[in-house]
Amino acid sequence: MSTPAPAEKEQGWLSRLASSVASSVGEGLNYLTGIEDPDELKTVDDGSGNVTKKDDADAGGRKAMWSQLKDLVGADIMSKFSIPIFLMEPISVLQKSAENMQYCELLDRACEEEEEFMRLAYVAALAVSVYSSNERTKKPFNPILGETWEMALPEVDGIYVAEQVCHHPPIGASHCETPRWTFDLTSAVRTKFMGNWVDVWPKGRTRIHLKECGDVYNLLPPASRVNNLVVGRLWIDTFGEMRVNNLKTGASAVLTFKECNMFGAGRWEVSGDVLGADGECKLKLKGKWNESMTATQPDGSSGRILWAKNPDPKEGALVEKYGFDNWTLRMNAAKDAPKGLLKSDSRLRPDRMALEKGDDTTAQKMKHVLEEKQRAERRKREANGGEWKPRWFKLAAEADLHELELDVGTAVWEWNGAYNEELAKRTEKGIDNVLETEFDPWEFEDTKDMVIP
């Protein structure tokens, strides 16, 4: 059962009550779920309205996790809690953010449209398509400061580049450029742990620029909720308003993601309008964020399918265990890595690679090693009075913010333009066995060989 997300800054009675009960009642599971032990759970709701009989295979791990989380009810847990391996999938957050580009050909289609409202409809469809991978419930690895990720996009003659530019708070920046458009993202999240669920608010700034017509768009995404974090079958719902604004013309697409009710009705549904600068409806948009989006005239005529989800692969260990689609499988493949791949690339993380091979024990150990090395680097940097300087992005001294972005929740990082020249130099040297390269995002030379117990 899903519960409406509270306003982000609101400290409501439910949060205070949950915190009070959690601190006064042992493990707090009685309050959260009405049962004494997650191992006793037999009946769960997966959010679809269908109740199934299923033992919770991760009950022991979740019970241990709850012992760490019970004092954080009502708090933002992004930087306060180290996620255990059993809740993770073998990609990093930098790669997860690149799922924005899974259907990047929609931007090419937008460039081909002469009519501004249909261009806006295609950009809105791209924004919705991102959530088609949001049914996966495992969490990606938090990037190490200085971690990078690159991926060639031959279908649009482009390349996607991402970098972790800040660790506290965690902020990633990414840039994708093709001959026809650019996509820029500063990405962070704010969370609120509410016992058996976590509310997630995306923060940051998105810019999409269509070069030929000069349109510039921003994106204000809806909230999401991870349900049954401690007890029950994990599932994710996305709900609330999404806005895509044409900053050049004043037109906008306003979409409502319907919240799943207690019987499963309404889940995945999205509908809304493309509005002119005068507020008049120009197009109707409707669909499901895990399936497709359609545009019609205001009277419902002349329907056009803007986007449809690609078929999922039928077999494979990562498909069966994590629900990976072909795009996500491609993100870890060496063949889509630029020649001369940086040693800081997410593909090379030893914890990610171990988890991909099904070795959870090694993955947990290597995750701990990377986190401890990162802490050691931070202490050394602070002792030296230094600051981290990203490779490909710079902190925007005066960020270009739309009036609806005045509180984007994070600093804005912009593309510094140094990548292409550096890529040309790296390409000359090349790396033949990309995935055999040792992961090395470190600022200080001695960090790599540091022994972590």
Side-chain angles (χ1 to χ4, degrees):
M1 175 177 178
S2 185
T3 307
E8 178 187 340
K9 297 182 180 179
E10 176 184 341
Q11 296 295 324
W13 66 270
L14 182 58
S15 175
R16 295 193 297 272
L17 176 62
S19 180
S20 174
V21 173
S23 62
S24 62
V25 181
E27 294 186 336
L29 288 170
N30 293 30
Y31 168 70
L32 289 170
T33 64
I35 61 175
E36 305 233 348
D37 193 306
D39 292 330
E40 297 177 8
L41 186 69
K42 297 297 181 183
T43 304
V44 298
D45 181 359
D46 65 2
S48 66
N50 298 318
V51 175
T52 59
K53 298 285 184 178
K54 182 179 183 296
D55 290 330
D56 191 346
D58 295 326
R62 293 195 194 188
K63 188 173 181 180
M65 181 178 66
W66 169 248
S67 68
Q68 301 177 55
L69 284 172
K70 62 183 180 181
D71 295 326
L72 297 176
V73 174
D76 185 341
I77 61 172
M78 272 303 296
S79 59
K80 297 179 180 179
F81 175 66
S82 180
I83 303 294
I85 282 294
F86 77 87
L87 281 178
M88 306 196 76
E89 62 180 6
I91 62 172
S92 81
V93 171
L94 295 181
Q95 293 171 294
K96 180 71 176 177
S97 71
E99 290 178 340
N100 286 289
M101 294 290 98
Q102 180 169 6
Y103 298 94
C104 56
E105 68 275 6
L106 293 176
L107 295 182
D108 275 2
R109 294 179 192 171
C111 290
E112 293 163 2
E113 289 291 334
E114 294 184 2
E115 203 274 314
E116 72 160 296
F117 303 114
M118 189 56 71
R119 291 198 299 269
L120 178 52
Y122 273 113
V123 175
L126 175 75
V128 171
S129 73
V130 173
Y131 294 91
S132 65
S133 63
N134 215 32
E135 291 186 282
R136 301 203 315 264
T137 57
K138 301 289 187 178
K139 183 189 177 301
F141 288 94
N142 282 346
I144 300 297
L145 183 62
E147 184 173 329
T148 59
W149 185 75
E150 307 162 66
M151 181 171 169
L153 300 173
E155 58 268 51
V156 290
D157 191 21
I159 191 165
Y160 184 97
V161 181
E163 181 175 4
Q164 189 73 359
V165 296
C166 183
H167 182 59
H168 283 297
I171 301 174
S174 55
H175 174 82
C176 185
E177 184 155 2
T178 79
R180 308 187 76 176
W181 49 264
T182 61
F183 176 95
D184 289 276
L185 173 67
T186 297
S187 177
V189 298
R190 192 167 297 166
T191 65
K192 191 171 186 179
F193 174 59
M194 294 301 295
N196 204 27
W197 74 87
V198 176
D199 289 319
V200 181
W201 293 274
K203 296 295 180 181
R205 191 193 73 168
T206 303
R207 282 288 184 275
I208 299 172
H209 175 214
L210 306 186
K211 296 180 179 181
E212 296 166 30
C213 63
D215 286 351
V216 178
Y217 304 90
N218 76 339
L219 168 64
L220 302 171
S224 293
R225 171 169 293 158
V226 183
N227 295 281
N228 297 337
L229 183 65
V230 180
V231 173
R233 179 179 174 187
L234 283 168
W235 63 284
I236 297 176
D237 197 18
T238 295
F239 49 88
E241 183 180 275
M242 170 188 280
R243 293 184 65 96
V244 181
N245 300 297
N246 185 327
L247 303 182
K248 175 185 174 183
T249 68
S252 61
V254 182
L255 297 165
T256 298
F257 286 60
K258 191 171 182 180
E259 184 177 4
C260 177
N261 69 21
M262 65 182 297
F263 300 108
R267 191 180 182 195
W268 307 297
E269 292 181 9
V270 184
S271 60
D273 302 327
V274 172
L275 307 173
D278 57 2
E280 181 181 347
C281 178
K282 305 297 183 179
L283 294 169
K284 289 282 188 181
L285 303 178
K286 187 174 183 180
K288 292 185 176 182
W289 52 259
N290 69 336
E291 187 175 284
S292 64
M293 285 294 295
T294 299
T296 66
Q297 296 300 311
D299 61 4
S301 64
S302 304
R304 180 194 298 193
I305 297 176
L306 302 171
W307 160 75
K309 183 180 178 181
N310 293 329
D312 289 328
K314 299 298 183 183
E315 57 185 21
L318 297 178
V319 174
E320 295 171 6
K321 185 173 183 178
Y322 298 106
F324 280 6
D325 55 25
N326 288 316
W327 174 269
T328 310
L329 294 171
R330 173 182 168 187
M331 290 196 300
N332 284 328
K335 66 181 180 64
D336 289 298
K339 193 175 181 182
L341 188 69
L342 290 173
K343 295 181 180 179
S344 53
D345 195 272
S346 300
R347 295 173 181 82
L348 308 177
R349 287 183 62 131
D351 50 358
R352 189 210 65 77
M353 297 177 77
L355 187 61
E356 187 176 49
K357 295 175 182 177
D359 187 349
D360 291 18
T361 300
T362 298
Q364 184 69 61
K365 178 181 178 180
M366 296 312 301
K367 177 174 178 288
H368 169 72
V369 167
L370 293 179
E371 290 170 347
E372 288 302 312
K373 286 185 176 182
Q374 180 168 235
R375 294 184 182 102
E377 282 225 330
R378 184 183 71 242
R379 292 191 294 267
K380 188 171 183 178
R381 191 178 301 115
E382 292 173 350
N384 294 340
E387 293 185 0
W388 175 258
K389 185 178 180 180
R391 286 184 175 91
W392 315 128
F393 297 88
K394 61 183 179 180
L395 188 62
E398 296 182 6
D400 174 25
L401 296 177
H402 182 264
E403 61 181 354
L404 297 177
E405 298 173 319
L406 295 181
D407 180 20
V408 295
T410 178
V412 174
W413 294 78
E414 298 176 334
W415 187 238
N416 66 17
Y419 176 81
N420 290 339
E421 182 178 350
E422 178 65 24
L423 178 62
K425 295 178 181 178
R426 287 192 282 136
T427 301
E428 290 180 6
K429 299 178 182 179
I431 297 178
D432 293 330
N433 299 316
V434 171
L435 299 186
E436 294 181 10
T437 305
E438 184 175 355
F439 183 61
D440 186 5
W442 312 116
E443 177 180 8
F444 304 110
E445 291 185 6
D446 58 350
T447 304
K448 178 180 176 181
D449 299 322
M450 185 181 297
V451 178
I452 303 296

